[in-house]
Amino acid sequence: DVTRLDTLVSQLGNEQQRLTNQFAIYTEPLKVFREQLDRLLSDDPKPTPTELYARLESQLLFKVPSLVSDLNSDILDLSLLQARARADSIELISVNMPSDEALQIASINRRDWMNARASLMDTWRAIAFVTNDLEGVLDLVAEGDLDTVGDNPLKFRSTTSSFRFGVQFDAPLTRLLERNQYRQVLIDYQQAKRQYYQFIDGVSQTLRGALRTIMLNELNFESRRISVLSAIDQIVLNDEIQTLVEERGTLQGVTAARDIADALFALQQAQDDLLGVWATYEVNRRFLDFHLGTMQLDENSKWIDPGSIQAGQFNQSELPGS
């Protein structure tokens, strides 16, 4: 139910104004106490210690506990007002993206995905390269020699020369080594393809886990916010009970002090849990940006916050890796 947010700002503003006026009221009693104390210390002749203590007790000490009690109550109200304002002022940067779209964005932007795809293509090209060795080879062979007669090195004769021409054919059936190499590259390609599929499955699982964790943190954050507000309401209730008991002049319950301490501890614990869930959400948002491959750094190597991540936010032409 978010209807309470419609009047939250005005309520907090009115409460802040009330406390401001209330704290201004304490100025006058404190001023009177200071004047009375200065008057007692400047009396001449000086009163005896016993007389001075009796006058302090009657004029000042009996009035201080009530003033301190009221001041303590207003300080507590001020701290609760601050806690309520801080609890409702924290906002989570929205992340709403389906896992299939996140996987598509990662396939375009992730450098390791590009390397894995290129490695698979290299294995595929190796098949075509080795396949060429399986083809049959037909060679036309021509050779001859030209000899001389006697001791004259320039006395060439056709009767002493010869010329041969033929055909040499290497059939595919005889290529045992090449066939083994071809089978090996086929096996290598199947292995590379499975590794590529495993890589995609790993990235998909990581992205789904990140998105689910972000959704869980969103729910946990609102739950922790409600816990903080509930702890504040419990402290206010204990304070009202204590005030009612003092007005009636009845005795406090045996667990009154423990209830107040437990309520304050519960508020601190709820605030710590709220901050912890917020920090976890921010870490997972950075984790998602990194695994999408869209993370950008500035000149100081600091992360550039992309802000809200929504479905359809990244067009293929606008992606950093495209």
Side-chain angles (χ1 to χ4, degrees):
D1 185 11
V2 296
T3 54
R4 66 179 185 84
L5 299 177
D6 297 335
T7 58
L8 178 63
V9 176
S10 60
Q11 291 177 356
L12 295 178
N14 295 335
E15 182 66 12
Q16 180 185 9
Q17 185 62 41
R18 183 189 71 80
L19 292 174
T20 301
N21 298 335
Q22 187 66 26
F23 281 113
I25 297 176
Y26 294 110
T27 304
E28 188 63 27
L30 292 176
K31 181 179 179 181
V32 174
F33 287 163
R34 176 60 67 96
E35 292 175 353
Q36 292 177 347
L37 183 61
D38 293 340
R39 192 181 306 113
L40 289 174
L41 295 176
S42 62
D43 284 348
D44 192 22
K46 297 292 184 181
T48 63
T50 303
E51 294 176 350
L52 180 60
Y53 177 78
R55 294 172 63 179
L56 285 173
E57 187 177 38
S58 60
Q59 297 180 15
L60 297 177
L61 297 183
F62 285 158
K63 300 179 181 179
V64 170
S66 176
L67 180 64
V68 171
S69 177
D70 295 340
L71 182 61
N72 177 71
S73 178
D74 290 334
I75 291 176
L76 178 62
D77 291 342
L78 180 61
S79 64
L80 296 180
L81 175 64
Q82 183 185 51
R84 191 186 303 274
R86 287 180 173 178
D88 284 318
S89 63
I90 302 177
E91 296 182 2
L92 295 180
I93 300 177
S94 176
V95 175
N96 182 18
M97 177 175 290
S99 58
D100 55 347
E101 182 176 347
L103 186 63
Q104 181 182 5
I105 294 174
S107 68
I108 298 174
N109 290 272
R110 290 187 54 151
R111 303 302 192 267
D112 55 347
W113 197 321
M114 298 178 188
N115 293 334
R117 189 184 300 117
S119 178
L120 180 62
M121 290 305 300
D122 289 341
T123 309
W124 170 258
R125 293 188 184 99
I127 297 177
F129 178 78
V130 176
T131 303
N132 292 331
D133 296 335
L134 292 175
E135 296 178 355
V137 179
L138 178 63
D139 295 329
L140 299 178
V141 181
E143 61 180 10
D145 53 30
L146 185 62
D147 297 332
T148 61
V149 177
D151 296 333
N152 188 354
L154 300 178
K155 192 176 182 180
F156 298 99
R157 293 293 183 269
S158 60
T159 56
T160 59
S161 301
S162 64
F163 179 77
R164 293 178 297 274
F165 180 83
V167 177
Q168 185 177 354
F169 178 65
D170 190 2
L173 298 177
T174 62
R175 299 184 175 274
L176 178 60
L177 180 61
E178 288 77 2
R179 287 201 303 271
N180 292 337
Q181 292 177 349
Y182 178 72
R183 294 190 182 98
Q184 184 60 48
V185 294
L186 290 179
I187 294 174
D188 294 341
Y189 173 71
Q190 294 298 326
Q191 292 177 346
K193 186 166 63 173
R194 291 186 178 90
Q195 292 175 358
Y196 181 69
Y197 291 160
Q198 290 176 356
F199 174 81
I200 296 177
D201 292 340
V203 174
S204 177
Q205 183 178 4
T206 300
L207 292 175
R208 288 200 309 268
L211 291 172
R212 290 172 181 172
T213 303
I214 288 176
M215 293 175 60
L216 178 62
N217 287 334
E218 288 179 346
L219 298 176
N220 288 338
F221 182 80
E222 295 303 327
S223 176
R224 299 300 187 276
R225 195 202 300 270
I226 295 176
S227 298
V228 171
L229 300 178
S230 298
I232 294 174
D233 293 338
Q234 183 62 45
I235 294 176
V236 173
L237 178 61
N238 291 340
D239 185 62
E240 292 178 351
I241 293 175
Q242 182 181 6
T243 302
L244 183 61
V245 170
E246 291 176 355
E247 292 177 352
R248 292 181 176 180
T250 58
L251 296 177
Q252 294 280 358
V254 294
T255 62
R258 187 182 65 185
D259 293 340
I260 294 175
D262 290 345
L264 292 174
F265 177 77
L267 175 59
Q268 180 181 1
Q269 187 67 37
Q271 289 175 322
D272 292 342
D273 292 342
L274 179 66
L275 182 60
V277 174
W278 175 83
T280 303
Y281 181 86
E282 287 297 308
V283 169
N284 281 279
R285 200 164 61 85
R286 287 161 174 78
F287 182 82
L288 176 63
D289 191 25
F290 174 77
H291 284 278
L292 284 175
T294 56
M295 175 175 283
Q296 300 291 317
L297 303 179
D298 60 11
E299 64 276 5
N300 298 319
S301 298
K302 293 184 178 180
W303 177 57
I304 300 177
D305 192 344
S308 176
I309 301 177
Q310 301 295 326
Q313 177 180 352
F314 298 101
N315 296 325
Q316 185 171 351
S317 58
E318 299 175 352
L319 291 175
S322 58

